[in-house]
Amino acid sequence: MMRHTKEETTIDNRTITIYSEPNANALLLQAVDSHDMEEMEKEISYIENASDTTFTLVAIKINRWNEELTPWPAPPVFGKIPFGNGASRTLDFITGKVIPAMKQDRNFKSVILGGYSLSGLFALWSSYNAVLLDGIVAASPSVWYKDWLSYSEQNRCSCRNVYLSLGDKESHSKNKLMATVAECIELQKKILDSQNVNVVMEWNEGNHFTDNGERTAKGFAWCLKSCREESAC
């Protein structure tokens, strides 16, 4: 049974769900959609079992996935909905509203931002644009995104610990852009290595739609361990 208590609230008309335990040492943040929320209790339980560090996880509901998590516009990959440039507003909300609200009566020693798929790309991009983060979880991130690797190479990651993962069948896609994901994530790892980031890359079995909650949980558990080894949490 999950030991965390669940509370849903709103900040600036945005829905957030807080999974908390007393005297948590780490604050975990994740931009989520409805499918992520279906996996959340399984994800929390996995982290509880895999880590000795107490934590509070805040799930931030994203209503317009293709708009709120991407840093610049790009053509649609599936369907007709293009990608937008709302990542900066989402990051401002997290760093300016969510984190201060969570820290009011709590003494977190580390802050870790994670996500799956496009939310994983958002977490990676945030590591280049926020200095408040001690760890990043990019589980099956959309590193195939237009111009992302060029941006990553030309800018510097400010986060010490980054976890990358991908399913071993994710590159078996009929979409030519998404089929480059395995090559792209290997390049992402090399870029972060060159910037002296403590980065790990883990391969999982399955395609993009396999065990997203567990894959994200693995990343959070790794970041918690890395922070603890640095005496950050």
Side-chain angles (χ1 to χ4, degrees):
M1 180 180 293
M2 187 178 69
R3 68 173 183 254
H4 283 68
T5 58
K6 177 182 175 181
E7 173 193 359
E8 187 173 288
T9 186
T10 59
I11 298 178
D12 285 0
N13 297 316
R14 285 177 175 256
T15 300
I16 66 170
T17 306
I18 304 167
Y19 300 85
S20 59
E21 62 179 327
N23 303 314
N25 283 327
L27 174 63
L28 313 185
L29 304 156
Q30 182 178 345
V32 300
D33 63 7
S34 57
H35 182 59
D36 293 317
M37 289 304 298
E38 292 172 2
E39 295 276 313
M40 191 53 64
E41 290 196 9
K42 182 193 299 183
E43 180 178 326
I44 297 284
S45 294
Y46 185 102
I47 303 169
E48 288 177 346
N49 293 327
S51 175
D52 295 330
T53 303
T54 55
F55 65 92
T56 288
L57 189 149
V58 180
I60 301 140
K61 182 70 187 311
I62 301 299
N63 297 315
R64 293 171 295 148
W65 198 252
N66 283 16
E67 166 65 27
E68 296 179 56
L69 296 176
T70 43
W72 50 78
V77 174
F78 291 113
K80 298 181 180 180
I81 301 176
F83 297 102
N85 62 349
S88 60
R89 291 187 293 275
T90 302
L91 182 59
D92 286 346
F93 171 70
I94 291 172
T95 58
K97 300 289 186 177
V98 176
I99 294 177
M102 296 305 301
K103 284 187 169 182
Q104 278 184 354
D105 300 312
R106 302 169 180 88
N107 185 28
F108 298 114
K109 296 180 181 178
S110 64
V111 178
I112 299 166
L113 174 65
Y116 192 86
S117 191
L118 206 57
S119 178
L121 177 72
F122 168 73
L124 271 177
W125 174 83
S126 297
S127 73
Y128 289 80
N129 291 274
V131 296
L132 301 174
L133 305 171
D134 302 294
I136 292 292
V137 177
S140 294
S142 306
V143 286
W144 45 260
Y145 194 77
K146 183 179 182 293
D147 298 328
W148 166 252
L149 288 174
S150 296
Y151 176 89
S152 179
E153 192 168 26
Q154 293 167 14
N155 294 274
R156 189 165 189 86
C157 175
S158 64
C159 188
R160 300 188 304 275
N161 305 294
V162 175
Y163 174 94
L164 304 172
S165 72
L166 198 68
D168 57 10
K169 294 182 176 61
E170 291 197 50
S171 62
H172 302 171
S173 173
K174 294 180 180 179
N175 182 286
K176 291 183 179 180
L177 181 60
M178 297 186 72
T180 66
V181 67
E183 177 185 353
C184 289
I185 205 161
E186 294 283 11
L187 288 172
Q188 179 70 76
K189 170 77 160 53
K190 290 180 180 178
I191 290 168
L192 293 171
D193 279 332
S194 72
Q195 296 179 354
N196 296 318
V197 174
N198 177 30
V199 56
V200 66
M201 169 63 201
E202 182 171 4
W203 289 95
N204 296 296
E205 292 185 2
N207 61 29
H208 188 68
F209 303 100
T210 305
D211 298 328
N212 65 297
E214 182 175 316
R215 291 182 184 183
T216 309
K218 286 181 181 180
F220 277 126
W222 180 86
C223 282
L224 287 170
K225 181 176 183 292
S226 297
C227 288
R228 187 173 66 248
E229 289 173 351
E230 297 173 344
S231 298
C233 63

